[in-house]
Short mmCIF file of all heavy atoms in Angstrom, two decimals:
data_model
loop_
_atom_site.label_atom_id
_atom_site.label_comp_id
_atom_site.label_asym_id
_atom_site.label_seq_id
_atom_site.Cartn_x
_atom_site.Cartn_y
_atom_site.Cartn_z
N PRO A 1295 0.84 -1.22 0.00
CA PRO A 1295 0.01 0.07 0.04
C PRO A 1295 0.86 1.24 -0.01
O PRO A 1295 1.92 1.30 0.60
CB PRO A 1295 -0.80 -0.11 1.27
CG PRO A 1295 0.01 -1.02 2.19
CD PRO A 1295 0.80 -1.93 1.22
N THR A 1296 0.39 2.22 -0.72
CA THR A 1296 1.12 3.52 -0.77
C THR A 1296 0.82 4.39 0.40
O THR A 1296 1.58 5.27 0.81
CB THR A 1296 0.90 4.30 -2.05
OG1 THR A 1296 -0.55 4.47 -2.17
CG2 THR A 1296 1.36 3.54 -3.24
N LYS A 1297 -0.34 4.21 1.05
CA LYS A 1297 -0.81 4.97 2.16
C LYS A 1297 -1.37 3.94 3.16
O LYS A 1297 -1.99 3.00 2.82
CB LYS A 1297 -1.96 5.94 1.89
CG LYS A 1297 -1.58 7.00 0.93
CD LYS A 1297 -2.84 7.95 0.83
CE LYS A 1297 -3.00 8.59 -0.51
NZ LYS A 1297 -4.20 9.31 -0.62
N THR A 1298 -1.14 4.28 4.53
CA THR A 1298 -1.82 3.41 5.42
C THR A 1298 -3.25 3.85 5.61
O THR A 1298 -3.63 4.99 5.13
CB THR A 1298 -1.15 3.61 6.85
OG1 THR A 1298 -1.33 4.89 7.19
CG2 THR A 1298 0.39 3.25 6.78
N ASP A 1299 -4.07 3.03 6.16
CA ASP A 1299 -5.39 3.38 6.35
C ASP A 1299 -5.64 4.62 7.19
O ASP A 1299 -6.44 5.47 6.97
CB ASP A 1299 -6.24 2.18 6.99
CG ASP A 1299 -6.50 1.01 6.02
OD1 ASP A 1299 -6.37 1.24 4.82
OD2 ASP A 1299 -6.66 -0.10 6.52
N PHE A 1300 -4.73 4.66 8.27
CA PHE A 1300 -4.72 5.95 9.09
C PHE A 1300 -4.49 7.15 8.32
O PHE A 1300 -5.30 8.17 8.39
CB PHE A 1300 -3.70 5.86 10.15
CG PHE A 1300 -3.57 7.02 11.00
CD1 PHE A 1300 -4.52 7.42 11.94
CD2 PHE A 1300 -2.55 7.92 10.71
CE1 PHE A 1300 -4.43 8.55 12.56
CE2 PHE A 1300 -2.45 9.08 11.48
CZ PHE A 1300 -3.43 9.49 12.43
N HIS A 1301 -3.47 7.16 7.42
CA HIS A 1301 -3.20 8.38 6.63
C HIS A 1301 -4.28 8.65 5.57
O HIS A 1301 -4.70 9.81 5.38
CB HIS A 1301 -1.90 8.23 5.86
CG HIS A 1301 -0.72 8.33 6.70
ND1 HIS A 1301 0.05 7.19 7.15
CD2 HIS A 1301 -0.19 9.33 7.41
CE1 HIS A 1301 1.04 7.64 7.87
NE2 HIS A 1301 0.90 8.83 8.11
N SER A 1302 -4.97 7.63 5.14
CA SER A 1302 -6.11 7.85 4.27
C SER A 1302 -7.26 8.46 4.93
O SER A 1302 -7.86 9.43 4.38
CB SER A 1302 -6.49 6.43 3.71
OG SER A 1302 -6.67 6.47 2.32
N VAL A 1303 -7.53 8.07 6.09
CA VAL A 1303 -8.73 8.59 6.90
C VAL A 1303 -8.36 9.98 7.28
O VAL A 1303 -9.24 10.86 7.24
CB VAL A 1303 -9.08 7.66 8.15
CG1 VAL A 1303 -9.96 8.37 9.01
CG2 VAL A 1303 -9.56 6.30 7.64
N ALA A 1304 -7.11 10.13 7.71
CA ALA A 1304 -6.74 11.53 8.18
C ALA A 1304 -6.76 12.58 7.02
O ALA A 1304 -7.26 13.66 7.20
CB ALA A 1304 -5.30 11.52 8.80
N ALA A 1305 -6.30 12.13 5.86
CA ALA A 1305 -6.36 12.99 4.67
C ALA A 1305 -7.79 13.30 4.29
O ALA A 1305 -8.13 14.47 4.00
CB ALA A 1305 -5.58 12.38 3.58
N GLU A 1306 -8.60 12.33 4.32
CA GLU A 1306 -10.03 12.46 3.97
C GLU A 1306 -10.71 13.49 4.94
O GLU A 1306 -11.45 14.36 4.61
CB GLU A 1306 -10.82 11.16 4.01
CG GLU A 1306 -12.18 11.29 3.44
CD GLU A 1306 -12.86 9.92 3.37
OE1 GLU A 1306 -12.23 8.94 3.06
OE2 GLU A 1306 -14.06 9.84 3.68
N ASN A 1307 -10.43 13.31 6.26
CA ASN A 1307 -11.00 14.18 7.25
C ASN A 1307 -10.55 15.60 7.12
O ASN A 1307 -11.32 16.59 7.28
CB ASN A 1307 -10.64 13.73 8.64
CG ASN A 1307 -11.43 12.44 9.06
OD1 ASN A 1307 -12.44 12.12 8.44
ND2 ASN A 1307 -10.91 11.77 10.08
N PHE A 1308 -9.23 15.73 6.76
CA PHE A 1308 -8.65 17.07 6.49
C PHE A 1308 -9.34 17.77 5.38
O PHE A 1308 -9.72 18.88 5.48
CB PHE A 1308 -7.22 16.93 6.27
CG PHE A 1308 -6.54 18.20 5.85
CD1 PHE A 1308 -6.33 19.28 6.71
CD2 PHE A 1308 -6.24 18.46 4.48
CE1 PHE A 1308 -5.70 20.42 6.39
CE2 PHE A 1308 -5.68 19.69 4.12
CZ PHE A 1308 -5.40 20.66 5.01
N TYR A 1309 -9.53 17.01 4.25
CA TYR A 1309 -10.15 17.65 3.07
C TYR A 1309 -11.61 17.96 3.25
O TYR A 1309 -12.16 18.92 2.74
CB TYR A 1309 -9.87 16.85 1.80
CG TYR A 1309 -8.50 16.91 1.35
CD1 TYR A 1309 -7.68 15.88 1.43
CD2 TYR A 1309 -8.00 18.08 0.89
CE1 TYR A 1309 -6.30 16.04 1.06
CE2 TYR A 1309 -6.61 18.28 0.46
CZ TYR A 1309 -5.80 17.16 0.55
OH TYR A 1309 -4.52 17.26 0.17
N GLN A 1310 -12.27 17.11 4.07
CA GLN A 1310 -13.70 17.43 4.39
C GLN A 1310 -13.80 18.67 5.22
O GLN A 1310 -14.64 19.49 5.04
CB GLN A 1310 -14.28 16.27 5.09
CG GLN A 1310 -14.68 15.09 4.16
CD GLN A 1310 -15.27 13.89 4.94
OE1 GLN A 1310 -15.21 13.81 6.18
NE2 GLN A 1310 -15.82 12.93 4.20
N LYS A 1311 -12.90 18.79 6.19
CA LYS A 1311 -12.88 20.00 7.02
C LYS A 1311 -12.53 21.17 6.18
O LYS A 1311 -13.16 22.30 6.39
CB LYS A 1311 -11.87 19.88 8.18
CG LYS A 1311 -11.79 20.96 9.04
CD LYS A 1311 -12.98 21.08 9.96
CE LYS A 1311 -12.78 22.12 11.05
NZ LYS A 1311 -13.95 22.45 11.76
N LEU A 1312 -11.63 21.10 5.29
CA LEU A 1312 -11.18 22.24 4.50
C LEU A 1312 -12.44 22.69 3.57
O LEU A 1312 -12.64 23.84 3.35
CB LEU A 1312 -10.04 21.82 3.57
CG LEU A 1312 -9.37 22.91 2.79
CD1 LEU A 1312 -8.74 23.97 3.72
CD2 LEU A 1312 -8.13 22.31 2.00
N GLN A 1313 -13.12 21.65 3.01
CA GLN A 1313 -14.23 22.01 2.22
C GLN A 1313 -15.39 22.71 3.01
O GLN A 1313 -16.21 23.39 2.46
CB GLN A 1313 -14.81 20.77 1.44
CG GLN A 1313 -13.76 20.35 0.37
CD GLN A 1313 -14.20 19.04 -0.25
OE1 GLN A 1313 -15.03 18.24 0.31
NE2 GLN A 1313 -13.66 18.73 -1.42
N SER A 1314 -15.49 22.32 4.23
CA SER A 1314 -16.58 22.88 5.05
C SER A 1314 -16.40 24.28 5.51
O SER A 1314 -17.27 24.94 6.05
CB SER A 1314 -16.88 21.95 6.20
OG SER A 1314 -15.87 22.09 7.22
N LEU A 1315 -15.08 24.78 5.38
CA LEU A 1315 -14.85 26.03 5.83
C LEU A 1315 -15.51 27.09 4.85
O LEU A 1315 -15.40 26.89 3.57
CB LEU A 1315 -13.36 26.41 5.74
CG LEU A 1315 -12.50 25.72 6.89
CD1 LEU A 1315 -11.00 26.04 6.62
CD2 LEU A 1315 -12.89 26.19 8.25
N SER A 1316 -16.15 28.11 5.31
CA SER A 1316 -16.76 29.05 4.57
C SER A 1316 -15.76 30.00 3.85
O SER A 1316 -14.80 30.42 4.51
CB SER A 1316 -17.74 29.95 5.39
OG SER A 1316 -18.25 30.86 4.63
N ASN A 1317 -15.94 30.29 2.56
CA ASN A 1317 -15.10 31.20 1.94
C ASN A 1317 -15.87 32.59 1.71
O ASN A 1317 -15.49 33.35 0.85
CB ASN A 1317 -14.59 30.59 0.61
CG ASN A 1317 -15.62 30.32 -0.36
OD1 ASN A 1317 -16.79 30.45 -0.07
ND2 ASN A 1317 -15.29 29.81 -1.55
N THR A 1318 -16.95 32.66 2.37
CA THR A 1318 -17.76 33.83 2.33
C THR A 1318 -17.04 35.05 2.83
O THR A 1318 -16.39 35.04 3.88
CB THR A 1318 -19.11 33.72 3.12
OG1 THR A 1318 -19.80 32.54 2.62
CG2 THR A 1318 -19.98 34.89 2.98
N ILE A 1319 -17.12 36.16 2.13
CA ILE A 1319 -16.58 37.44 2.59
C ILE A 1319 -17.73 38.42 2.76
O ILE A 1319 -18.63 38.56 1.97
CB ILE A 1319 -15.65 38.06 1.42
CG1 ILE A 1319 -14.41 37.10 1.24
CG2 ILE A 1319 -15.15 39.40 1.83
CD1 ILE A 1319 -13.55 37.42 0.15
N ILE A 1320 -17.68 39.01 3.99
CA ILE A 1320 -18.81 39.95 4.31
C ILE A 1320 -18.23 41.40 4.32
O ILE A 1320 -17.09 41.62 4.92
CB ILE A 1320 -19.40 39.62 5.64
CG1 ILE A 1320 -20.04 38.18 5.65
CG2 ILE A 1320 -20.38 40.73 6.11
CD1 ILE A 1320 -20.53 37.73 6.96
N SER A 1321 -18.89 42.26 3.69
CA SER A 1321 -18.56 43.73 3.69
C SER A 1321 -19.75 44.51 4.23
O SER A 1321 -20.89 44.32 3.71
CB SER A 1321 -18.21 44.19 2.35
OG SER A 1321 -17.06 43.56 1.86
N LEU A 1322 -19.56 45.38 5.13
CA LEU A 1322 -20.62 46.22 5.66
C LEU A 1322 -20.19 47.60 6.19
O LEU A 1322 -18.99 47.68 6.49
CB LEU A 1322 -21.45 45.47 6.70
CG LEU A 1322 -20.76 44.83 7.88
CD1 LEU A 1322 -20.63 45.84 8.99
CD2 LEU A 1322 -21.54 43.66 8.39
N GLN A 1323 -21.05 48.47 6.30
CA GLN A 1323 -20.82 49.75 6.91
C GLN A 1323 -20.92 49.59 8.37
O GLN A 1323 -21.99 49.48 8.91
CB GLN A 1323 -21.76 50.83 6.30
CG GLN A 1323 -21.50 52.19 6.73
CD GLN A 1323 -20.36 52.79 5.88
OE1 GLN A 1323 -20.34 52.52 4.70
NE2 GLN A 1323 -19.49 53.60 6.50
N TYR A 1324 -19.73 49.56 9.06
CA TYR A 1324 -19.83 49.26 10.51
C TYR A 1324 -20.11 50.56 11.26
O TYR A 1324 -20.88 50.51 12.21
CB TYR A 1324 -18.49 48.64 10.98
CG TYR A 1324 -18.48 48.26 12.36
CD1 TYR A 1324 -19.31 47.22 12.81
CD2 TYR A 1324 -17.73 48.95 13.35
CE1 TYR A 1324 -19.31 46.79 14.11
CE2 TYR A 1324 -17.76 48.52 14.65
CZ TYR A 1324 -18.58 47.47 15.04
OH TYR A 1324 -18.64 47.09 16.41
N LYS A 1325 -19.48 51.65 10.92
CA LYS A 1325 -19.81 52.96 11.59
C LYS A 1325 -19.90 53.99 10.30
O LYS A 1325 -19.44 53.59 9.24
CB LYS A 1325 -18.63 53.41 12.42
CG LYS A 1325 -18.54 52.56 13.67
CD LYS A 1325 -17.38 53.02 14.49
CE LYS A 1325 -17.31 52.31 15.84
NZ LYS A 1325 -16.22 52.73 16.69
N PRO A 1326 -20.41 55.11 10.54
CA PRO A 1326 -20.49 56.06 9.43
C PRO A 1326 -19.19 56.35 8.71
O PRO A 1326 -19.25 56.45 7.47
CB PRO A 1326 -20.97 57.39 10.04
CG PRO A 1326 -21.72 56.86 11.38
CD PRO A 1326 -20.94 55.63 11.80
N ASP A 1327 -18.05 56.23 9.42
CA ASP A 1327 -16.80 56.43 8.75
C ASP A 1327 -15.89 55.18 8.69
O ASP A 1327 -14.77 55.29 8.39
CB ASP A 1327 -16.00 57.56 9.48
CG ASP A 1327 -15.78 57.16 10.98
OD1 ASP A 1327 -16.40 56.23 11.47
OD2 ASP A 1327 -14.89 57.81 11.56
N LYS A 1328 -16.57 54.01 8.93
CA LYS A 1328 -15.79 52.71 8.90
C LYS A 1328 -16.52 51.66 8.14
O LYS A 1328 -17.61 51.30 8.50
CB LYS A 1328 -15.44 52.28 10.31
CG LYS A 1328 -14.62 51.04 10.40
CD LYS A 1328 -14.11 50.74 11.74
CE LYS A 1328 -13.10 49.52 11.73
NZ LYS A 1328 -12.64 49.29 13.10
N PHE A 1329 -15.78 51.16 7.11
CA PHE A 1329 -16.35 50.08 6.30
C PHE A 1329 -15.53 48.81 6.81
O PHE A 1329 -14.28 48.83 6.87
CB PHE A 1329 -16.07 50.37 4.84
CG PHE A 1329 -16.95 49.54 3.92
CD1 PHE A 1329 -18.30 49.73 3.76
CD2 PHE A 1329 -16.36 48.49 3.19
CE1 PHE A 1329 -19.03 48.95 2.85
CE2 PHE A 1329 -17.11 47.74 2.28
CZ PHE A 1329 -18.44 48.02 2.13
N LEU A 1330 -16.24 47.74 7.03
CA LEU A 1330 -15.59 46.46 7.56
C LEU A 1330 -15.75 45.37 6.45
O LEU A 1330 -16.83 45.09 6.09
CB LEU A 1330 -16.22 46.04 8.81
CG LEU A 1330 -15.71 44.74 9.48
CD1 LEU A 1330 -14.17 44.80 9.78
CD2 LEU A 1330 -16.52 44.51 10.73
N THR A 1331 -14.70 44.71 6.08
CA THR A 1331 -14.68 43.60 5.26
C THR A 1331 -13.90 42.51 5.88
O THR A 1331 -12.81 42.75 6.34
CB THR A 1331 -14.09 43.96 3.87
OG1 THR A 1331 -14.81 44.98 3.23
CG2 THR A 1331 -14.07 42.75 2.92
N PHE A 1332 -14.44 41.22 5.93
CA PHE A 1332 -13.81 40.16 6.59
C PHE A 1332 -14.26 38.86 6.00
O PHE A 1332 -15.33 38.74 5.49
CB PHE A 1332 -13.97 40.11 8.08
CG PHE A 1332 -15.36 39.97 8.49
CD1 PHE A 1332 -15.88 38.71 8.91
CD2 PHE A 1332 -16.30 41.05 8.58
CE1 PHE A 1332 -17.20 38.56 9.28
CE2 PHE A 1332 -17.59 40.90 8.99
CZ PHE A 1332 -17.98 39.62 9.33
N LYS A 1333 -13.40 37.88 6.08
CA LYS A 1333 -13.74 36.47 5.64
C LYS A 1333 -14.47 35.92 6.88
O LYS A 1333 -14.04 36.04 8.08
CB LYS A 1333 -12.58 35.60 5.38
CG LYS A 1333 -11.83 36.02 4.11
CD LYS A 1333 -10.71 35.10 3.84
CE LYS A 1333 -9.96 35.58 2.63
NZ LYS A 1333 -8.74 34.79 2.37
N VAL A 1334 -15.58 35.15 6.67
CA VAL A 1334 -16.28 34.50 7.69
C VAL A 1334 -15.44 33.71 8.64
O VAL A 1334 -15.51 33.68 9.87
CB VAL A 1334 -17.49 33.77 7.29
CG1 VAL A 1334 -18.08 32.91 8.25
CG2 VAL A 1334 -18.61 34.71 6.65
N GLN A 1335 -14.47 32.92 8.04
CA GLN A 1335 -13.60 32.06 8.86
C GLN A 1335 -12.67 32.77 9.83
O GLN A 1335 -12.10 32.24 10.66
CB GLN A 1335 -12.82 31.12 7.92
CG GLN A 1335 -11.81 31.80 6.92
CD GLN A 1335 -11.35 30.90 5.94
OE1 GLN A 1335 -11.84 29.80 5.67
NE2 GLN A 1335 -10.21 31.28 5.32
N GLU A 1336 -12.65 34.15 9.64
CA GLU A 1336 -11.74 35.01 10.59
C GLU A 1336 -12.52 35.28 11.82
O GLU A 1336 -11.93 35.74 12.79
CB GLU A 1336 -11.33 36.32 9.92
CG GLU A 1336 -10.46 36.16 8.71
CD GLU A 1336 -10.14 37.54 8.12
OE1 GLU A 1336 -10.96 38.10 7.44
OE2 GLU A 1336 -8.96 37.97 8.31
N ALA A 1337 -13.85 35.04 11.93
CA ALA A 1337 -14.68 35.43 13.01
C ALA A 1337 -14.60 34.30 14.03
O ALA A 1337 -14.66 33.13 13.76
CB ALA A 1337 -16.13 35.71 12.62
N ASN A 1338 -14.45 34.67 15.35
CA ASN A 1338 -14.53 33.68 16.41
C ASN A 1338 -15.01 34.32 17.71
O ASN A 1338 -15.23 35.52 17.76
CB ASN A 1338 -13.18 33.03 16.60
CG ASN A 1338 -12.00 33.99 16.76
OD1 ASN A 1338 -12.25 35.02 17.38
ND2 ASN A 1338 -10.88 33.66 16.22
N PHE A 1339 -15.16 33.50 18.70
CA PHE A 1339 -15.65 33.88 20.10
C PHE A 1339 -16.97 34.59 19.95
O PHE A 1339 -17.12 35.76 20.49
CB PHE A 1339 -14.58 34.78 20.79
CG PHE A 1339 -13.25 34.14 20.88
CD1 PHE A 1339 -12.13 34.63 20.27
CD2 PHE A 1339 -13.12 32.94 21.66
CE1 PHE A 1339 -10.88 33.96 20.39
CE2 PHE A 1339 -11.91 32.34 21.84
CZ PHE A 1339 -10.72 32.82 21.18
N GLY A 1340 -17.93 34.00 19.30
CA GLY A 1340 -19.26 34.66 19.12
C GLY A 1340 -20.10 34.52 20.33
O GLY A 1340 -20.11 33.51 20.97
#
């Protein structure tokens, strides 16, 4: 075998996790003089 079952499962889990990450970018007027743009994956501690 070129990969062990463990490595196969680990790689599959990694790619599933990677695909589940949102690539959404949000832009909004946060304050009258401040525009905020961020990737959803940058948000935490909600």
Side-chain angles (χ1 to χ4, degrees):
T1296 56
K1297 297 185 210 175
T1298 65
D1299 287 339
F1300 172 77
H1301 287 108
S1302 226
V1303 170
E1306 185 177 324
N1307 289 342
F1308 172 76
Y1309 286 112
Q1310 284 177 348
K1311 180 70 174 172
L1312 190 60
Q1313 288 174 343
S1314 71
L1315 290 175
S1316 174
N1317 61 357
T1318 302
I1319 297 173
I1320 297 176
S1321 295
L1322 54 87
Q1323 188 77 39
Y1324 187 68
K1325 292 182 178 179
D1327 60 342
K1328 185 173 185 177
F1329 198 72
L1330 177 62
T1331 300
F1332 63 96
K1333 292 180 182 178
V1334 167
Q1335 62 192 18
E1336 294 179 289
N1338 53 35
F1339 304 115

